[in-house]
Structures are given as structure tokens and as C-alpha cells.
Amino acid sequence: APLPSGDIRPQALHLIWDRESNGMPIPDIPKDTPIITHCGGGGRGQKAKDFLEKNGFTSVFNGGGPKETECWAEFGEK
């Protein structure tokens, strides 16, 4: 799936990482859809990234928490 551009608007799904089950709902989207996970500090975002990759998603990026700049350097201002 292509990255956002002038013709494509990104869409968001709010999927919550469940600490008790160590899992989350599997999104009903193509496995190559770009996905950015995030949370308050980056730890749960990484767990969600690992979980999604184990379930066949191929373009998952951990955006970290609000203090992380790597995600914005890659995807911001576009």
C-alpha cells in the first residue's frame, strides 16, 4: 500500500493493546498497509508492532511516544 500523498489520506484505527491477554484486535486491512503504532512512552507501541508482525503485517513502524522524533522525521510534514 502506498504512503500518504496528496491523493491519499491516511486513516486511523484505534486498537488498544490489552495487557492482560498480551494482544489486540487484528485490523481488517491488507497485510501490506503501512501501520504506525504508538503509546505514551513507546513500550506498548513496540509490543503492538511485534504482535502485528507476528500476525503477518509487513509494514509496521513503532512511532514511540509523544517525545519520539523518529516517526515525525519519517512521516511528518507530508
Side-chain angles (χ1 to χ4, degrees):
L3 290 174
S5 70
D7 299 326
I8 299 172
R9 292 191 58 141
Q11 296 182 5
L13 295 174
H14 185 221
L15 303 172
I16 298 172
W17 178 258
D18 184 349
R19 291 178 180 170
E20 290 183 20
S21 70
N22 254 348
M24 59 188 278
I26 304 282
D28 186 20
I29 57 175
K31 299 284 186 174
D32 64 343
T33 300
I35 298 173
I36 300 172
T37 63
H38 75 95
C39 66
R44 284 168 293 157
Q46 184 63 43
K47 289 179 181 180
K49 177 186 185 290
D50 294 343
F51 178 82
L52 290 167
E53 289 176 337
K54 287 178 185 171
N55 282 279
F57 290 89
T58 59
S59 185
V60 186
F61 182 81
N62 180 7
K67 295 181 181 178
E68 299 294 326
T69 58
E70 185 179 358
C71 180
W72 295 110
E74 181 70 24
F75 296 105
E77 304 292 329
K78 292 185 181 180

